[in-house]
Amino acid sequence: MSPSQFSRLSLCAAAIGALALTALLAGPSRAAEDAVIIPAPTADVQAANGIQTAVIAGGCFWGVQGVFQHTAGVLNAVSGYAGGSKGTANYTLVSAGTTGHAESVEIKYDPKKISYGKILQIFFSVAHDPTQLNRQGPDSGPQYRSAIFTTSDEQKKVAEAYIAQLNAAKVYKKPIVTKVGPLEGFYQAEAYHQDYLTLHPNQPYIVYNDIPKVENLKKIFAENYIEKPTLVSSVKVTN
């Protein structure tokens, strides 16, 4: 186990504690209860030919990646960093919270099988809580912020319109804090962060925070769920 993995596991243990783990075994976790059923966006990106890219951030990238690796139409979901420079795109520096980076996931998808709007709907519904400012669950700091990094003006318009739509519908108890801005660069995270949910399904952090997200994807978005995850280690995608 690397020092970075150990530090996050230690944080997980401190945040959860023995009582919470006992509760997890007894019934649904807090993460499972936090999923919100939301309407689809009224506006969406027009379908285009060829592989498309979406980049999102919603707390620890392990869980977000895991959700989209179980999503039909997603050809690859890679954990990485966005929002800062290439020179600071490594886990040790990003974890300090001063690089401008957010732990992010780059999603390559087939627009004939899943739309950008559906990706955002899953993102807002089961992948994270968009009302938490600079944190998700036990993780806190700007590197865990909720963000959408857009690759086109159309993506920007759709993302902003969807946030306004959800806020107006008051589907959450608090306003959405997700920031929308242009993608200036995505940098793939270290190899040990890739496919983490699948490779470490019994780690307490994953069990408590992330497995429920995949379970909610299966329950709420059954038509978009695939049982076998599409792993970075087994897929090569080019534009």
Side-chain angles (χ1 to χ4, degrees):
M1 178 179 291
S2 73
S4 298
Q5 291 171 290
F6 180 78
S7 64
R8 179 165 282 168
L9 183 56
S10 298
L11 174 62
C12 170
I16 299 176
L19 291 178
L21 284 174
T22 300
L24 172 65
L25 297 176
S29 74
R30 174 71 177 275
E33 296 169 351
D34 280 347
V36 178
I37 297 176
I38 62 176
T42 56
D44 205 342
V45 171
Q46 295 297 309
N49 293 323
I51 297 169
Q52 301 297 303
T53 301
V55 178
I56 53 179
C60 172
F61 40 31
W62 295 342
V64 178
Q65 181 191 48
V67 165
F68 285 100
Q69 288 183 323
H70 281 277
T71 300
V74 171
L75 306 176
N76 205 8
V78 179
S79 291
Y81 312 106
S85 68
K86 181 178 180 179
T88 60
N90 70 76
Y91 187 66
T92 300
L93 293 177
V94 171
S95 294
T98 59
T99 64
H101 281 296
E103 291 196 11
S104 305
V105 175
E106 180 189 66
I107 299 166
K108 299 287 186 179
Y109 65 98
D110 182 347
K112 295 180 179 179
K113 296 180 179 180
I114 188 170
S115 72
Y116 184 71
K118 178 60 68 173
I119 287 172
L120 293 186
Q121 187 182 14
I122 292 170
F123 172 63
F124 283 125
S125 174
V126 303
H128 85 308
D129 179 351
T131 70
Q132 292 193 41
L133 182 63
N134 292 336
R135 69 171 300 117
Q136 285 292 312
D139 302 315
S140 62
Q143 69 271 32
Y144 299 113
R145 67 187 181 273
S146 175
I148 299 170
F149 297 95
T150 58
T151 61
S152 68
D153 288 340
E154 191 176 14
Q155 281 192 359
K156 180 177 183 293
K157 291 177 182 178
V158 168
E160 291 178 340
Y162 195 27
I163 291 171
Q165 174 190 339
L166 295 176
N167 277 330
K170 299 186 184 301
V171 296
Y172 305 100
K173 295 180 180 179
K174 297 183 292 183
I176 293 171
V177 298
T178 307
K179 299 295 184 183
V180 179
L183 178 69
E184 296 182 357
F186 176 83
Y187 309 99
Q188 185 167 327
E190 296 80 357
Y192 66 82
H193 285 302
Q194 307 302 333
D195 305 330
Y196 200 89
L197 184 148
T198 298
L199 296 175
H200 305 279
N202 298 317
Q203 190 198 88
Y205 183 100
I206 296 295
V207 171
Y208 187 75
N209 294 289
D210 295 335
I211 294 297
K213 297 177 182 179
V214 177
E215 293 173 347
N216 281 324
L217 174 71
K218 182 177 183 179
K219 179 174 65 177
I220 298 173
F221 297 95
E223 71 281 7
N224 301 108
Y225 174 80
I226 54 174
E227 187 71 30
K228 183 179 179 181
T230 304
L231 303 181
V232 174
S233 57
S234 62
V235 175
K236 298 294 183 183
V237 176
T238 57
N239 287 320

